[in-house]
Amino acid sequence: MTAPEGGLAEGRGPLFDESGASPVKELFGKLADGTEIHRWSLENGGTRLRVLSYGGIVQSLEIPDAEGRYANVSLGFDTIEPYVSESPYFGALIGRYGNRIGEGRFTLDGETYALSVNDGGNSLHGGVGGFDKVVWEVEPFERDSDVGLCLTYTSPDGEMGFPGTLAVKVTYTLTSRGDWRIDYEATTDRATVVNLTSHVYWNLAGEGSGSVHHHELEIAAGRYTPVDARLIPTGEPAEVAGTPFDFRRAKPVGADLRHADQQLLYAKGFDHNWVLDKGATAEPEKVAVLRDPGSGRMLMVSTTEPGLQFYSGNFLDGTLVGPSGRTYRQGDALCLETQHFPDSPNKPSFPSTVLRPGQTYRSTTVHSFTC
Ligand code: GLA
């Protein structure tokens, strides 16, 4: 996927249609019931993004290295079928609730709700038919020097067990600097819980290029939320100091990954929520930096969210094949999911994920790339 193309670091590039007015839209495939799934391709500031109407999936994200060599730095598939049948959330929008809700139930205003369970007894990433599995309405837009896509979906009351009709709008923006920004918005007609995120699997050397254990990662968090054997937070944040969870200074992802720490044993690696030092903020603030020393490509994550799930690709097991034609094995990518904390609906001490009629859920995450 690497092609030397030095001159493309500026402007909107060739992924616009002939008039230059809007991103290229093409048929990507069809679902079993005949529903057409489209792929949108857009480019700005040297970043190229391909998005599917299915799951709002980032099917590829290409960025250059210092020599202008592009690589697709996110794991995915070439065709629609594996996204439907076996994808571990590659590139997908996640909702209504990112990460786990213990035992797939919670109580709100005295009423107990039973959710779709898909992870042992837990509900993970919104259940079996989460936002990664629905077809989104997609509208391209152009604003000043930005280009982007506006994705909307209305989740019916009771879908996957969650109360309230949830109207969701997610905006993907590519800025003239090549940043990929995500703005999430949601409203409800009944009290509910919401925690939206994006599940891109990053490999800054390029998908299919092998392990990311040599990538260097920094996370601005002095605490994380330890889990039990079901990967449900115990509810008591712990200090990262003196543990493998200390990423306050950049270190290779693989440096402490083989420590026989009970937390790493439970999750087969890192799959935990970091309690970001900045807390929830009105504007996105920088919380993580990922760098591939080989290519020099660097990703900076800024968010309004109070938490970050760092997942070290523990469940990739060599059974999935990417667009490169190569298999994905354990540790071949990592996820940095900005979020509220897992199982918050059952953890009164965690920042609240409750959304009520009249309120608007808002969350922003910005991915900046440099090399
Ligand atoms: C999240 C979860 C992981 C796993 C991956 C997808 O990161 O925390 O446990 O489910 O998604 O496989």
Side-chain angles (χ1 to χ4, degrees):
M1 275 309 306
T2 51
E5 295 186 43
L8 285 175
E10 291 298 319
R12 295 191 181 130
L15 293 182
F16 271 69
D17 67 12
E18 280 163 18
S19 68
S22 66
V24 173
K25 177 188 180 185
E26 62 200 324
L27 182 66
F28 186 69
K30 288 182 182 176
L31 302 183
D33 68 1
T35 305
E36 293 191 340
I37 301 302
H38 292 100
R39 181 172 76 170
W40 299 82
S41 301
L42 46 160
E43 174 168 358
N44 204 2
T47 300
R48 301 167 178 170
L49 184 66
R50 288 190 168 83
V51 175
L52 306 181
S53 51
Y54 184 79
I57 286 169
V58 169
Q59 191 244 341
S60 80
L61 194 154
E62 292 174 67
I63 52 171
D65 66 10
E67 271 76 57
R69 281 183 300 244
Y70 274 81
N72 173 13
V73 295
S74 87
L75 271 51
F77 299 115
D78 252 351
T79 56
I80 189 65
E81 205 284 321
Y83 280 114
V84 176
S85 61
E86 56 183 354
S87 178
Y89 307 96
F90 283 161
L93 282 179
I94 303 294
R96 294 187 186 191
Y97 199 97
N99 213 275
R100 294 175 177 77
I101 296 180
E103 309 298 325
R105 40 179 70 238
F106 68 97
T107 301
L108 179 60
D109 297 340
E111 202 161 326
T112 297
Y113 297 96
L115 306 173
S116 158
V117 293
N118 57 344
D119 175 71
N122 305 318
S123 183
L124 174 66
H125 295 329
V128 285
F131 290 175
D132 59 301
K133 294 275 185 300
V134 306
V135 180
W136 293 72
E137 287 288 324
V138 183
E139 281 298 327
F141 69 85
E142 215 186 325
R143 202 176 34 224
D144 304 326
S145 55
D146 295 344
V147 295
L149 301 172
C150 181
L151 298 96
T152 51
Y153 174 68
T154 300
S155 174
D157 186 16
E159 191 175 41
M160 299 298 118
F162 290 95
T165 310
L166 194 74
V168 186
K169 180 167 122 182
V170 179
T171 309
Y172 288 165
T173 305
L174 281 187
T175 71
S176 55
R177 298 185 51 227
D179 292 353
W180 172 42
R181 173 181 173 123
I182 315 176
D183 292 282
Y184 306 86
E185 256 182 54
T187 54
T188 184
D189 60 3
R190 277 173 69 196
T192 191
V193 295
V194 191
N195 189 27
L196 306 180
T197 191
S198 161
H199 210 301
V200 170
Y201 283 68
W202 301 102
N203 183 327
L204 298 181
E207 65 86 20
S209 69
S211 163
V212 294
H213 289 173
H214 58 287
H215 281 36
E216 289 158 5
L217 178 64
E218 183 184 336
I219 305 176
R223 293 182 304 156
Y224 76 110
T225 51
V227 293
D228 62 20
R230 304 165 305 156
L231 302 188
I232 299 296
T234 59
E236 302 290 334
E239 301 288 326
V240 298
T243 78
F245 292 81
D246 193 348
F247 283 90
R248 290 173 298 176
R249 284 203 191 142
K251 69 175 177 182
V253 166
D256 296 327
L257 196 52
R258 285 177 174 76
H259 277 213
D261 183 295
Q262 182 60 64
Q263 287 296 314
L264 296 179
L265 291 169
Y266 281 150
K268 298 189 165 63
F270 294 107
D271 190 357
H272 295 76
N273 170 67
W274 269 252
V275 178
L276 298 170
D277 290 339
K278 72 173 187 72
T281 42
E283 294 300 320
E285 291 183 19
K286 184 170 111 179
V287 295
V289 180
L290 181 68
R291 184 171 174 275
D292 167 36
S295 65
R297 293 191 191 93
M298 195 162 101
L299 158 69
M300 234 174 331
V301 179
S302 307
T303 188
T304 56
E305 287 296 306
L308 181 77
Q309 187 83 12
F310 162 37
Y311 168 59
S312 54
N314 313 327
F315 303 128
L316 297 172
D317 63 1
T319 58
L320 303 176
V321 182
S324 55
R326 297 172 63 87
T327 61
Y328 296 145
R329 301 177 63 81
Q330 191 177 44
D332 279 3
L334 61 84
C335 302
L336 298 170
E337 303 154 65
T338 54
Q339 61 181 8
H340 271 54
F341 306 170
D343 203 33
S344 296
N346 295 308
K347 298 284 187 304
S349 63
F350 286 176
S352 172
T353 53
V354 174
L355 181 73
R356 297 185 181 278
Q359 301 177 328
T360 301
Y361 167 95
R362 281 198 181 86
S363 170
T364 297
T365 294
V366 182
H367 305 85
S368 308
F369 308 100
T370 50
C371 53

